[in-house]
């Protein structure tokens, strides 16, 4: 019994497992990527792991196609499936604030990352310490690529 994972090059919106000729859609994938060369984020539409290529639509300005980019020049981040208290999507690599709206409490910023031990996304402080994950109490205030200065505070 072989389990194969296939990504369909024209649409990576679903992770699919082929098991004994049955196609089972397991999870809707939503990805974004940071391009190190352009220093810009884009919504991922296609990934070709064999050719090492990725493409999508740039987030800033007019929605323009990225064209084919080298996968090695990008950092791919997955949508956690959760939203912050304002309804904004939370992605891996986002910087979140857990003190939004609380009077007299200094801002406390954390990073959303994959937790290998729990096989899921978690929130970490600047020292890398795992914190309780309460997305309904968090506000996305940036990401580690475009807003790294927030973490320096």
């Amino acid at each position: 019994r072989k389990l194969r994972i296939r990504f369909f090059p024209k649409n990576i919106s679903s992770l699919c497992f082929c098991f004994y000729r049955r196609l089972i859609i397991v999870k809707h994938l939503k990805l974004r990527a940071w391009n190190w060369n352009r220093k810009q984020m884009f919504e991922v539409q296609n990934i070709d792991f064999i050719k090492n290529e990725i493409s999508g639509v740039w987030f800033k300005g007019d929605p323009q196609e990225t064209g084919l980019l080298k996968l090695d020049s990008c950092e791919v981040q997955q949508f956690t499936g959760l939203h912050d208290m304002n309804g904004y999507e939370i992605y891996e690599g986002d910087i979140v604030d857990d003190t939004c709206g609380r009077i007299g409490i200094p801002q406390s910023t954390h990073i959303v990352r994959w937790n290998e031990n729990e096989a899921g996304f978690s929130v970490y402080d600047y020292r890398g310490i795992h914190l309780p994950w309460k997305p309904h109490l968090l506000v996305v205030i940036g990401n580690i690529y475009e807003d790294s200065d927030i973490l320096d505070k």
Side-chain angles (χ1 to χ4, degrees):
R1 295 183 177 183
K2 287 188 176 182
L3 180 66
R4 295 180 307 210
I5 298 175
R6 280 192 194 158
F7 284 98
F8 297 94
K10 294 190 178 182
N11 181 1
I12 61 162
S13 65
S14 297
L15 177 63
C16 301
F17 290 98
C18 287
F19 188 72
Y20 276 117
R21 297 184 184 169
R22 287 188 181 174
L23 184 64
I24 303 166
I25 297 177
V26 177
K27 181 177 179 179
H28 181 76
L29 288 179
K30 192 168 189 180
L31 304 171
R32 71 179 186 192
W34 173 255
N35 181 263
W36 290 105
N37 299 329
R38 270 185 82 162
K39 306 270 189 257
Q40 199 170 351
M41 194 75 70
F42 64 94
E43 178 186 348
V44 175
Q45 292 181 337
N46 298 302
I47 297 178
D48 188 330
F49 293 101
I50 295 170
K51 293 181 181 178
N52 191 35
E53 294 175 339
I54 187 169
S55 66
V57 176
W58 298 111
F59 278 141
K60 302 247 171 145
D62 293 331
Q64 293 181 330
E65 296 281 327
T66 61
L68 291 177
L69 303 169
K70 287 293 179 193
L71 187 56
D72 297 341
S73 69
C74 300
E75 188 73 33
V76 179
Q77 302 153 17
Q78 184 178 343
F79 172 50
T80 64
L82 302 170
H83 295 80
D84 71 0
M85 64 189 301
N86 296 326
Y88 190 77
E89 295 174 339
I90 302 174
Y91 281 83
E92 177 181 11
D94 276 346
I95 301 170
V96 294
D97 177 13
D98 71 347
T99 57
C100 190
R102 297 188 206 164
I103 299 172
I105 298 175
Q107 186 179 39
S108 178
T109 57
H110 308 298
I111 302 170
V112 177
R113 291 193 322 216
W114 181 258
N115 183 334
E116 291 287 332
N117 296 329
E118 295 184 9
F121 292 100
S122 294
V123 176
Y124 293 84
D125 69 4
Y126 69 95
R127 298 168 295 188
I129 296 174
H130 173 263
L131 301 169
W133 178 239
K134 299 177 185 174
H136 63 285
L137 298 175
L138 300 174
V139 175
V140 175
I141 57 174
N143 65 67
I144 58 175
Y145 303 102
E146 296 173 310
D147 307 296
S148 60
D149 56 317
I150 295 173
L151 297 172
D152 297 335
K153 293 179 182 179

